[in-house]
Amino acid sequence: MTKTAHDVGFEDSEEEVFRPLTAEEAQRLREKSPSISPWRVIAGQLVAGLLVALAAWGLSGRQNLGWSAGYGALSVVVPAAVFARGLTGRLSSLNPATAMLGFFVWEMVKMALTLAMLLAAPRLITALSWPAMLVGLAVAMQAYWMALMFAPRRKKRENE
């Protein structure tokens, strides 16, 4: 038997009242949690991809491993850049509905471009190493954590 909210007694719980933030509260929230530019994240992904490609090439001595890892990273960076450009465009910020639609459209474009780049890899990279390419892809995908860790922190106000 499935329990509903009524069965578990949620109707008796106190409902939290939604209260919009004042301008001052919103400003404090923005200062506490600064946003990070998508371009900063993409730059971090590019740097991580370059480092993994150089490491693969340098540690193995095989140029094709470096190119494979670098191409894997580019398979993340290029679609992410297209996605970020699409989302930061004027059309995607007209109103909430177009922003939501724009997000889904650009996400589909990003996925299609990533897939196309991965399918083209054997024709573009001589002696492609799939494991090296997947390592480059995975490192670039996870590089946004580094961008979050090294994001500039806003200074706290003196009265806090």
Side-chain angles (χ1 to χ4, degrees):
M1 184 164 128
T2 307
K3 289 187 176 186
T4 64
H6 179 62
D7 295 334
V8 248
F10 282 127
E11 79 284 347
D12 295 334
S13 67
E14 292 182 30
E15 287 189 33
E16 291 185 30
V17 178
F18 175 77
R19 183 182 60 80
L21 297 176
T22 64
E24 183 179 302
E25 290 171 331
Q27 180 63 32
R28 273 188 276 144
L29 182 62
R30 278 191 291 273
E31 288 172 359
K32 219 193 294 187
S33 307
S35 62
I36 298 171
S37 165
W39 300 107
R40 183 180 183 89
V41 174
I42 292 167
Q45 289 177 320
L46 188 61
V47 168
L50 181 63
L51 290 175
V52 78
L54 290 173
W57 188 352
L59 294 174
S60 70
R62 294 174 46 200
Q63 188 177 10
N64 71 311
L65 291 182
W67 285 112
S68 297
Y71 187 82
L74 281 179
S75 296
V76 171
V77 172
V78 171
V82 169
F83 177 73
R85 176 63 185 103
L87 286 185
T88 56
R90 213 173 1 139
L91 187 61
S92 290
S93 60
L94 289 177
N95 61 49
T98 58
M100 184 180 67
L101 179 64
F103 177 84
F104 287 115
V105 167
W106 286 109
E107 182 64 26
M108 292 299 293
V109 168
K110 183 176 96 170
M111 290 187 326
L113 185 54
T114 301
L115 184 60
M117 288 182 74
L118 291 175
L119 291 174
R123 290 186 277 288
L124 297 175
I125 305 296
T126 307
L128 175 70
S129 168
W130 281 95
M133 185 181 75
L134 292 175
V135 167
L137 184 103
V139 167
M141 279 195 307
Q142 296 305 316
Y144 66 90
W145 287 107
M146 298 305 287
L148 289 174
M149 281 180 24
F150 294 114
R153 304 277 185 233
R154 293 199 179 164
K155 294 181 182 177
K156 290 186 179 182
R157 288 197 260 170
E158 293 176 19
N159 59 356
E160 289 184 33

